[in-house]
Amino acid sequence: MFENSRVFGSRILSCVLVLAFAISIVSAQDETLADIKYKDDYDRIQSIIKTSDLVKRLDKMATLYGERRDMDVKLRDYADKVFALDMETLTKQANYIAVRGLCERVLKTRPKFGEVYLYYGIALKNSKKVDEAMIAFARGSAIPNALSAKSKQQLDLAYRSVHGGSLVGEDKFIKEAVKDLK
């Protein structure tokens, strides 16, 4: 009987060891897949950055946002900074049609990308769509981002122009503008 319990104990021990080995292999594979995905996304961003045509570069970045919604946070932040700088350059070039189209594409996949709302609002404002621009500026000011103060300034200017120089009701307007964001 003692020999049976010894055999049983050794079998349990070997099963536990095999299970531990299998778990370590699976976790190593998960880490490897995450590393591969990170490297793939990083390489893709770097190849996009090398594109010399500004509109094509922004278009590729918009495509990347749509295809890689689960991108690593650090890489997404890096891509966001590149995208925002390129949008600023495109806005300074007064290519408002391209700015508007690119912003609409990106905001469909990333509705809480606050920086984009500033450029979208500027493009709308220059297309004489002040009411839509105010909504974009309101969203850009309400979503925490590096350009929220500029969005708020633009909103103040546009709101005053529509409401006779007054900012009364602007807070309510901002709440209405952001309530339908996903």
Side-chain angles (χ1 to χ4, degrees):
M1 183 163 159
F2 180 69
E3 210 169 286
N4 285 342
S5 64
R6 217 168 145 187
V7 171
F8 181 71
S10 66
R11 286 186 180 169
I12 288 179
L13 180 62
S14 63
C15 287
V16 168
L17 289 174
V18 169
L19 181 63
F21 181 71
I23 289 172
S24 68
I25 289 175
V26 168
S27 66
Q29 286 176 345
D30 287 344
E31 289 177 28
T32 305
L33 290 174
D35 292 342
I36 290 170
K37 183 178 166 191
Y38 183 92
K39 185 179 179 340
D40 182 50
D41 288 345
Y42 178 80
D43 291 343
R44 188 167 173 191
I45 291 169
Q46 292 306 309
S47 70
I48 289 170
I49 290 172
K50 292 177 184 174
T51 305
S52 60
D53 185 304
L54 184 60
V55 176
K56 286 182 182 178
R57 183 168 57 234
L58 286 164
D59 182 58
K60 288 180 181 182
M61 196 66 81
T63 301
L64 175 70
Y65 285 135
E67 292 174 357
R68 301 301 287 201
R69 294 178 187 209
D70 60 343
M71 189 185 316
D72 184 82
V73 174
K74 291 176 187 173
L75 281 179
R76 191 181 63 232
D77 290 345
Y78 174 62
D80 288 353
K81 288 176 185 171
V82 170
F83 188 83
L85 286 172
D86 286 348
M87 288 300 291
E88 180 178 358
T89 303
L90 194 61
T91 302
K92 286 180 180 177
Q93 293 174 357
N95 190 346
Y96 300 117
I97 294 171
V99 169
R100 185 174 169 191
L102 288 163
C103 289
E104 287 171 351
R105 278 187 59 206
V106 170
L107 291 172
K108 282 181 184 175
T109 57
R110 299 209 35 225
K112 293 191 177 180
F113 190 173
E115 289 90 341
V116 175
Y117 284 106
L118 173 66
Y119 303 113
Y120 187 48
I122 291 170
L124 289 168
K125 186 176 173 183
N126 284 293
S127 299
K128 308 291 186 226
K129 298 184 178 193
V130 179
D131 291 337
E132 292 176 43
M134 287 191 322
I135 293 171
F137 292 139
R139 289 177 176 175
S141 69
I143 298 169
N145 67 82
L147 301 174
S148 59
K150 288 184 180 182
S151 292
K152 179 69 165 92
Q153 290 172 344
Q154 290 295 318
L155 174 62
D156 289 348
L157 291 171
Y159 196 86
R160 281 187 174 129
S161 71
V162 171
H163 294 92
S166 174
L167 291 177
V168 174
E170 185 184 48
D171 291 337
K172 184 178 178 182
F173 179 80
I174 292 171
K175 287 178 185 175
E176 283 294 316
V178 296
K179 78 175 184 180
D180 61 337
L181 284 179
K182 298 174 189 172

